[in-house]
Amino acid sequence: MATIDFDNVQKSYGEVHAIRDFTLHVEDGDFCVFVGPSGCGKSTALKMLAGLEATSAGSISIGGRDVTELGPGKRDIAMVFQNYALYPHMSVRSNIGFGLKMRGQDKADINRKVEAAAETLELTSYLDRRPRALSGGQRQRVALGRAIVREPSAFLMDEPLSNLDAKLRVQTRSEIVNLQKRLGVTTIYVTHDQVEALTMATKIVVMRGGVIQQIGSPDTLFAEP
Ligand code: ADP
Ligand code: ADP
């Protein structure tokens, strides 16, 4: 668990100011949703937090530690993408354990963590399957499994439900919320879907044209005055 801070972060791609004057404090254990129309800078903000894009100016801290100059592997975060990014030729077990293996963790340790994650996500009976033999919702859970085995300080999720059909999206939404509550891991979640923001977030950041328009809770933000 960790706090997350953006301090006056800017990002330009040539002439395009993708993010301007981005200042935000996220509390330990918050489920913080960045919401806004396509092109408003949500992914750019998330990628800078992940270390996948450099900032043009300003600083970013995770757990009070300035990570602005650190690479993605050094930030103690785990990212979940909309396309799941699973390895097709690997079993569910290997997919979930891959990040730990890359870090040189002990085999028995990895197995124990993978099995615990699989149990949490109700994937135990699918551990020996390949991703192609899973449903969309199950693949999504494998992607989550990959993130939780790492025991990171924060989860970063970029439209993780956008490839699911409407019914499964609603179901997976509450699975993610419950999982996050149970683990208490600070989460930044990007979506263009206002309903998703309202039903999942403890804190909502409304973005438009590269700037933060409003910050609030689901109760206060869109309530009639
Ligand atoms: P969102 O995630 O809200 O859809 P993005 O963060 O992807 O928005 O994009 C914000 C702005 O930055 C857009 O105008 C987009 O075209 C621009 N942008 C994003 N990535 C790049 C890039 N690699 N090169 C140039 N412009 C980019
Ligand atoms: P890390 O935080 O080190 O990226 P991961 O478990 O996410 O941990 O990935 C381990 C390595 O595999 C990293 O170098 C990452 O860039 C790479 N990787 C992860 N997912 C994919 C993918 N779908 N395709 C190609 N490379 C990937």
Side-chain angles (χ1 to χ4, degrees):
M1 301 227 299
T3 54
I4 292 172
D5 287 280
F6 289 81
D7 184 12
N8 203 19
V9 171
Q10 323 281 334
K11 178 68 180 182
S12 307
Y13 295 105
E15 298 289 286
V16 179
H17 297 292
I19 294 288
R20 281 176 293 136
D21 311 331
F22 197 94
T23 296
L24 174 68
H25 173 74
V26 179
E27 295 287 342
D28 230 10
D30 256 348
F31 196 113
C32 178
V33 176
F34 294 178
V35 66
S38 176
C40 73
K42 306 180 295 291
S43 297
T44 301
L46 196 75
K47 282 183 194 153
M48 288 191 290
L49 177 58
L52 300 173
E53 288 279 2
T55 54
S56 303
S59 66
I60 298 176
S61 302
I62 300 174
R65 183 172 67 125
D66 189 332
V67 297
T68 318
E69 305 297 329
L70 295 183
K74 300 232 157 78
R75 295 193 177 199
D76 193 23
I77 49 101
M79 198 143 174
V80 181
F81 299 95
Q82 58 178 276
N83 60 6
Y84 319 135
L86 302 181
Y87 297 108
H89 60 286
M90 287 185 196
S91 66
V92 167
R93 182 187 298 278
S94 304
N95 265 287
I96 295 177
F98 186 74
L100 302 180
K101 193 171 161 194
M102 294 310 287
R103 280 172 175 73
Q105 286 202 14
D106 177 72
K107 226 173 169 178
D109 245 18
I110 295 177
N111 248 323
R112 191 174 43 73
K113 288 182 182 172
V114 168
E115 281 169 16
E119 184 150 354
T120 301
L121 293 160
E122 295 179 28
L123 286 169
T124 304
S125 49
Y126 303 100
L127 278 172
D128 296 319
R129 290 203 193 175
R130 300 285 157 95
R132 67 167 179 278
L134 300 177
S135 70
Q138 289 163 343
R139 284 178 204 178
Q140 216 328 300
R141 300 215 299 278
V142 176
L144 288 170
R146 260 191 164 178
I148 71 176
V149 282
R150 303 256 305 273
E151 300 169 349
S153 296
F155 293 134
L156 313 188
M157 305 192 186
D158 193 355
E159 306 247 7
L161 308 184
S162 55
N163 286 330
L164 304 178
D165 65 41
K167 186 168 166 231
L168 199 55
R169 206 178 306 146
V170 171
Q171 183 190 326
T172 311
R173 226 191 251 161
S174 52
E175 283 175 12
I176 291 179
V177 168
N178 291 338
L179 182 69
Q180 194 271 345
K181 267 193 197 137
R182 187 144 35 114
L183 301 175
V185 175
T186 313
T187 299
I188 309 282
Y189 184 104
V190 163
T191 182
H192 62 273
D193 184 339
Q194 221 177 76
V195 175
E196 222 162 87
L198 285 170
T199 52
M200 299 180 83
T202 58
K203 185 187 194 97
I204 301 180
V205 176
V206 182
M207 295 178 64
R208 196 166 294 267
V211 300
I212 294 177
Q213 214 173 36
Q214 282 186 66
I215 301 176
S217 72
D219 295 339
T220 58
L221 203 56
F222 299 108
E224 296 299 324

